[in-house]
Amino acid sequence: MKKLILTASLFTQFCVAQQSNVKYINSCATSVRMENIYVQYPYLKTEARAFNLKLSDLTKSGKISTSKNQIYEIPVVVHIISDGSNLGSPGNRTDQQVIEWINYTNEVFAGTAPGILGEADGGTVIPVKLVLAKIAPNCTPTNGVTRTNLSSNNQYLQYGVNSATGYNGVHESMITQLSRWDPTKYYNIYIVNKLATGTFLASGYASFAGTIPMFDDSFLIGNVCSTGQATMAHEFGHALGLWHTQEGSNGSACPPNADCTLDGDMVCDTDPMSDLLGSLCTTGTVNSCTGNIFNGVEQNIMAYTGCNRNRFTVGQKNRAIAQLLQYRSNLLNSPVLLTQPLQNNFNLTPTCIPTYMSGSAGDHHSGITMVKFGNINNYTETYNLSNAQFYADYSSNYCLGTAFTSIPLNAPTELSVTVGYNYHHIVKAYIDYNNNGIFEENTEMVFSQTNIPGSTTVTAIVTPPLGALLNTALRMRVIGDYDLPGMTYSACSAPVFGQVEDYAVTIGSNLSTQNDSVSSVQIYTDSDKNIVIKSPQEKINSVILYDYSGRILKKYDNINKKEFIFSTSYINQNSLIIAVENSQGDAVSKKLHID
């Protein structure tokens, strides 16, 4: 696996000084950033529009609601990008300051921070809690805070970070390459000395849920990263899909509001308003967009306003949680908040391993984003320059997800795979049923589908054959790649622009722990090289002989006996797998070598 690591000394080569005029407006640049992302990746805007239409229908039908008691914990890591100033200053916050700041942000969401309205006071609780990660990507304990020193970088010292190219400052992608944890497991927050999007100087920005993971983070300047500042709650509100309450306003002009579920901020209990940044507090005055006295929208945490921001609304909560459940189940299922790391350490039979990518490197955003199979529930990042990983063996030395499952023999288990964001994909999956280290295309390929649109989840039903080796960790391989015309993909092909992932699967019989009807079955050869099968309890229903490649050599049905003997003289094989099923449908298999 390749990972691009830049040191601070090499970093300056990416920071070419270019003269640009910057407007010093200390506000949020999320809207500007999202506009730029949607221009670069228009399909993301199409997907967002589709979700908003669905959410609009649910809102209008009254079917959208949230649980009052559910609190959703979000694992976060805070990256301090130090400018070398004194520890504790805005350019170099201490770990303790960060911890207190995150705690304060959670109090804002809960409506318990000083001056913030709770449900009893006309506000609304946003039921999320930011929790600093306890497990680092290398499986060691962490306090969820990292520190990178850029005090030797003049571009950073003078201009800070810019999310757009061609401007003074360090581009945000260079910051994330220096310090970034897997965004499918952690929500990354960056504290920097200065921040801009193009010519727009900002105190912070974030990206909406559903954005490509490489953009899924928040950047804030150190001045607003302290207790008493609600800026992080504002930015994470964006990460939960909340727009500014003045969204659609152009200066003093009012935003459209023909359909409050789709216009403006798409929330119906926040009145439309114009941009009030830089104005005096307008509480008690007439809202020019409604003709009525301002009713609290001018004090909303998502507003541009001259008032103290002190509240969320029920409509904002409903939209935020809908977005969270739709797009951030990866974070809700992340194991990095556990006190002890998960263990995935299986010694699987060696097989072919992709050692290179046949296509060119780049931000392809293709491959696999999720695999679910039995207990396996693993979210991963697609291939891109910040995550140049085209092959991963998650069965070994992996602690950031569950990469092992046990499935029943001769019974169905659903396999779900979600593909990357760009282009149509092909997905293939294999299980090495006989554990010989070779994925047989005819007998061990459990799933194959082509022409899969980006971001789509596909499913298959996997039923292991009776000849599968039982109670042994077997390798499962999942492939997600561009569906290129004329391209043939096999289990051992080098990925073109996608990814290959390996997992561990154990196959057990359909038996309950109380049923020992097959555990007592005896399978052996006698002195005449006949195969003898004895079942002391249930009668034998069928016997299947496989070679080690999984090919069926012989099948006997409707035996209806407790003892079955047959000759192997007609079989030109020394090594066999014998699968036995009894009259209750329980099964057992055994490897047998005939001398």
Side-chain angles (χ1 to χ4, degrees), residues 113-141:
I116 302 297
L117 302 186
E119 291 183 344
D121 307 310
T124 298
V125 171
I126 301 295
V128 299
K129 182 179 181 181
L130 306 183
V131 183
L132 289 164
K134 296 180 174 63
I135 299 172
N138 63 359
C139 305
T140 60

Side-chain angles (χ1 to χ4, degrees), residues 408-431:
L409 178 69
N410 204 28
T413 301
E414 185 175 88
L415 169 65
S416 298
V417 179
T418 305
V419 300
Y421 310 94
N422 272 350
Y423 305 103
H424 282 62
H425 279 63
I426 180 173
V427 168
K428 300 185 80 172
Y430 301 80
I431 297 177

Side-chain angles (χ1 to χ4, degrees), residues 393-407:
D393 184 357
Y394 292 117
S395 71
S396 179
N397 299 317
Y398 179 61
C399 67
L400 300 184
T402 300
F404 164 76
T405 191
S406 180
I407 62 173

Side-chain angles (χ1 to χ4, degrees), residues 72 87 166 310 386 529:
Y72 300 95
L87 196 62
N310 61 11
S386 295
K529 297 185 179 180

Side-chain angles (χ1 to χ4, degrees), residues 82-159:
S82 170
D83 60 6
S85 55
N86 292 333
L87 196 62
S89 64
N92 195 14
R93 293 296 189 189
T94 67
D95 289 10
Q96 185 59 37
Q97 285 175 319
V98 168
I99 293 169
E100 292 172 357
W101 171 57
I102 293 295
N103 289 340
Y104 175 79
T105 300
N106 289 328
E107 291 175 359
V108 173
F109 287 137
T112 60
I116 302 297
L117 302 186
E119 291 183 344
D121 307 310
T124 298
V125 171
I126 301 295
V128 299
K129 182 179 181 181
L130 306 183
V131 183
L132 289 164
K134 296 180 174 63
I135 299 172
N138 63 359
C139 305
T140 60
T142 179
N143 68 350
V145 182
T146 75
R147 192 175 303 273
T148 301
N149 190 339
L150 282 188
S151 61
S152 62
N153 188 287
N154 290 330
Q155 277 284 304
Y156 181 71
L157 294 180
Q158 187 171 357
Y159 300 106

Side-chain angles (χ1 to χ4, degrees), residues 533-544:
I533 303 173
K534 293 183 178 181
S535 177
Q537 298 187 34
E538 302 294 337
K539 290 182 179 180
I540 300 167
N541 180 51
S542 67
V543 174
I544 305 177

Side-chain angles (χ1 to χ4, degrees), residues 181-399:
W181 290 5
D182 184 347
T184 68
K185 308 296 192 302
Y186 310 84
Y187 186 77
N188 289 269
I189 301 169
Y190 295 87
I191 301 178
V192 298
N193 62 346
K194 302 179 184 71
L195 188 63
T197 294
T199 61
F200 192 95
L201 197 71
S203 58
Y205 59 67
S207 294
F208 278 14
T211 305
I212 293 174
M214 69 177 291
F215 299 119
D216 192 16
D217 48 36
S218 289
F219 279 75
L220 301 100
I221 59 173
N223 284 328
V224 300
C225 299
S226 60
T227 57
Q229 295 276 358
T231 307
M232 185 63 224
H234 176 101
E235 297 305 338
F236 198 73
H238 287 314
L240 292 172
L242 300 182
W243 289 98
H244 294 126
T245 53
Q246 75 277 0
E247 190 64 34
S249 169
N250 183 10
S252 60
C254 295
N257 196 41
D259 183 343
C260 62
T261 66
L262 292 172
D263 292 331
D265 67 349
M266 302 184 222
V267 175
C268 291
D269 59 1
T270 56
D271 283 348
M273 61 179 285
S274 60
D275 185 342
L276 300 177
L277 186 66
S279 68
L280 297 175
C281 181
T282 56
T283 297
T285 66
V286 174
N287 182 346
S288 61
C289 296
T290 65
N292 299 316
I293 300 295
F294 275 101
N295 67 352
V297 67
E298 80 285 4
Q299 298 177 46
N300 194 279
I301 288 172
M302 301 307 298
Y304 275 14
T305 179
C307 303
N308 290 329
R309 296 183 293 184
N310 61 11
R311 70 191 70 186
F312 288 104
T313 70
V314 172
Q316 287 175 319
K317 176 181 72 171
N318 290 340
R319 178 175 175 82
I321 300 308
Q323 288 259 346
L324 176 69
L325 298 178
Q326 174 72 15
Y327 293 114
R328 296 199 186 280
S329 56
N330 57 307
L331 294 179
L332 299 179
N333 289 282
S334 175
V336 301
L337 298 182
L338 300 174
T339 54
Q340 294 294 326
L342 296 176
Q343 298 294 325
N344 293 282
N345 293 301
F346 293 90
N347 185 21
L348 302 182
T349 299
T351 188
C352 54
I353 300 296
T355 57
Y356 67 97
M357 192 173 192
S358 62
S360 60
D363 284 327
H364 305 309
H365 305 294
S366 57
I368 302 165
T369 64
M370 184 273 293
V371 172
K372 289 185 179 180
F373 186 55
N375 291 329
I376 295 172
N377 185 17
N378 196 36
Y379 292 85
T380 54
E381 189 178 2
T382 54
Y383 182 91
N384 60 77
L385 291 179
S386 295
N387 179 55
Q389 180 172 278
F390 55 81
Y391 170 73
D393 184 357
Y394 292 117
S395 71
S396 179
N397 299 317
Y398 179 61
C399 67

